[in-house]
Amino acid sequence: MLRLSHPMFKLLKSRLKNTLITLLLVTLFLGVSTAGWTPSTSAGLPAGNAITDGKALLRYALPIDNKPVRELQGSLEDISNQLRANRRWGAVSKDLSKASRILNNPAQILASVPEVNKPQAEALISELKSGLTSLEEAAKTKNKEQILTKRAELLNLVGDLEDLMVQGFPFEVPKEYSNLPQLKGRATIEMKTTKGTITLVVDGYSAPVTAGNFVDLVQRGFYDGLPFTRAEESYVVQTGDPPGKEVGFIDPKTKKYRAIPLEILFEGDKEPTYGITSEQAGRYTDLPVLPFSAYGAVAMARPENDNNGGSSQFFFFLYEPELTPAGRNLLDGRYTVFGYVVEGKDVLREIKAGDKIESAKVVKGAENLVEPKEA
């Protein structure tokens, strides 16, 4: 079994307790001790709050450029922040007003939608307007649960609208990886376990090789029946280790271990960086498009000293985002995140070592998988 190993993260994990004192210790530890693994000139924390919702991270990771729809998304997402901050109803009202103004000028949103998708986009905008009216009514009665439910529904529609804006795959994967499956888009996987069902979305726009390998293995039935080999509270749940001496997938065509490179798309880059960690690249404060800031991040496991030694083993990250300072996580830039759990986070909390994946199947996006080219 491949083991995640990083001395500082182990120390951090050992301090994770559900007490205020521990929270202060973790914050202090991360705030003053990063010089142990980054130059002192780069040890400061980036400004802003980390996004801790996997669905939101997936929306922001879409390769689109439309300011109004991003502002619409941001306004709706901010509502939950305001409700947590002692229910700041005035700020919620401002968010709703901003969303309404954007939806009342649909031409700016539709400008980024390909002509073939515009009828569907127009229908979504109409549905968003209607839903926003219902959300405004819920806000007037200050019904917090109803507001959060309506908000989640609207954000799902915004995600669908943003999906319609994507125009082709945004970059060329290096030719050296043409022998590996690639996901030119996204796929949704339903994973049934002995503790319940987990639904995850994997993102080929940010990690096409890693996501492609995963989807290919799902379609082969590789994960069906495999046990969870590691389950540590507030750390990881890991699986994907096949029976026998092998620690990864042996391609039946080549009879060789299928090795998957470390693959990280950094914010601001047009394509992923391969085979090198952020530290090795000198990018100490650059953040991945898909970070470890959300509970249920899905990432590729690999040998500690081999960036390109991943294969079939992967893990779900269980670190509570409330204990993660904004923009800083010791795993970011070291392991490839290639998706997030969007349903079934409660199931992750119940999984123990020895529980099994009963079945895994692609329920959406299978057509985005590109098979390897023959050598």
Side-chain angles (χ1 to χ4, degrees):
M1 179 179 68
L2 304 183
R3 301 288 293 184
L4 300 180
S5 179
H6 187 275
M8 292 187 70
F9 191 79
K10 285 184 175 180
L11 178 58
L12 173 62
K13 182 172 76 75
S14 71
R15 297 184 178 186
L16 283 176
K17 304 292 182 182
N18 294 323
T19 68
L20 178 59
I21 293 176
T22 301
L23 176 58
L24 292 174
L25 285 173
V26 171
T27 303
L28 178 63
F29 173 77
L30 286 174
V32 302
S33 297
T34 49
W37 66 283
T38 65
S40 58
T41 55
S42 303
L45 295 177
N49 294 320
I51 299 174
T52 59
D53 177 26
K55 288 185 178 181
L57 287 165
L58 286 166
R59 285 189 287 267
Y60 281 119
L62 283 169
I64 62 173
D65 184 16
N66 184 280
K67 185 177 179 180
V69 82
R70 291 304 197 196
E71 290 180 343
L72 173 63
Q73 177 185 338
S75 296
L76 293 172
E77 286 170 351
D78 187 58
I79 290 172
S80 67
N81 297 329
Q82 303 304 339
L83 291 179
R84 283 197 298 268
N86 296 320
R87 301 185 181 184
R88 297 167 58 181
W89 298 108
V92 170
S93 179
K94 288 181 180 179
D95 284 330
L96 292 173
S97 295
K98 184 176 182 179
S100 180
R101 288 195 301 271
I102 294 169
L103 288 173
N104 284 331
N105 190 5
Q108 292 185 351
I109 295 175
L110 291 170
S112 297
V113 179
E115 201 65 35
V116 67
N117 292 338
K118 283 188 175 177
Q120 190 176 351
E122 289 169 347
L124 285 172
I125 291 173
S126 178
E127 195 172 349
L128 279 164
K129 287 181 178 180
S130 176
L132 187 61
T133 299
S134 298
L135 184 53
E136 289 170 337
E137 290 299 319
K140 288 178 182 179
T141 62
K142 298 184 178 180
N143 187 324
K144 183 178 178 180
E145 289 187 10
Q146 189 176 12
I147 291 171
L148 291 175
T149 298
K150 292 287 185 182
R151 166 190 168 276
E153 292 173 356
L154 291 181
L155 282 170
N156 285 338
L157 294 176
V158 170
D160 292 340
L161 181 59
E162 291 171 340
D163 279 335
L164 295 176
M165 294 181 178
V166 178
Q167 301 190 42
F169 196 73
F171 56 86
E172 289 293 329
V173 177
K175 291 182 180 179
E176 62 190 286
Y177 304 121
S178 61
N179 63 318
L180 298 172
Q182 297 175 18
L183 189 68
K184 298 296 185 69
R186 288 184 172 170
T188 303
I189 286 84
E190 183 181 87
M191 186 173 290
K192 293 183 179 180
T193 77
T194 48
K195 289 294 177 63
T197 300
I198 299 167
T199 303
L200 51 143
V201 173
V202 294
D203 183 21
Y205 294 123
S206 302
V209 176
T210 312
N213 171 68
F214 181 75
V215 171
D216 175 69
L217 294 180
V218 168
Q219 290 191 321
R220 290 172 181 266
F222 178 87
Y223 294 111
D224 297 354
L226 289 188
F228 289 93
T229 50
R230 189 180 188 188
E232 299 185 35
E233 185 179 358
S234 300
Y235 188 23
V236 297
V237 167
Q238 185 169 329
T239 186
D241 187 3
K245 64 179 182 178
E246 302 295 345
V247 296
F249 173 66
I250 305 301
D251 191 320
K253 290 185 178 180
T254 64
K255 310 299 182 184
K256 295 180 180 179
Y257 180 92
R258 181 195 280 175
I260 304 301
L262 181 65
E263 180 180 40
I264 300 171
L265 178 64
F266 291 98
E267 290 183 355
D269 287 2
K270 293 183 178 180
E271 57 189 58
T273 295
Y274 290 90
I276 186 170
T277 68
S278 57
E279 285 179 276
Q280 293 166 341
R283 305 183 67 168
Y284 302 100
T285 60
D286 290 354
L287 296 178
V289 170
L290 302 181
F292 279 98
S293 58
Y295 186 99
V298 187
M300 177 64 72
R302 62 173 176 82
E304 181 182 2
N305 298 317
D306 186 356
N307 292 344
N308 301 321
S311 183
S312 61
Q313 293 192 51
F314 68 97
F315 61 94
F316 297 102
F317 192 49
L318 307 185
Y319 192 33
E320 293 291 352
E322 286 76 10
L323 300 181
T324 306
R328 172 71 73 193
N329 189 293
L330 297 181
L331 296 186
D332 283 333
R334 296 174 180 274
Y335 295 88
T336 303
V337 174
F338 60 97
Y340 295 97
V341 171
V342 295
E343 302 290 342
K345 292 180 184 178
D346 55 327
V347 174
L348 282 181
R349 292 183 173 93
E350 299 299 321
I351 291 175
K352 307 297 180 186
D355 288 329
K356 291 186 176 183
I357 298 173
E358 294 179 338
S359 66
K361 64 178 180 179
V362 180
V363 295
K364 182 180 179 181
E367 70 280 1
N368 294 325
L369 182 64
V370 177
E371 297 294 340
K373 294 181 180 179
E374 296 292 339

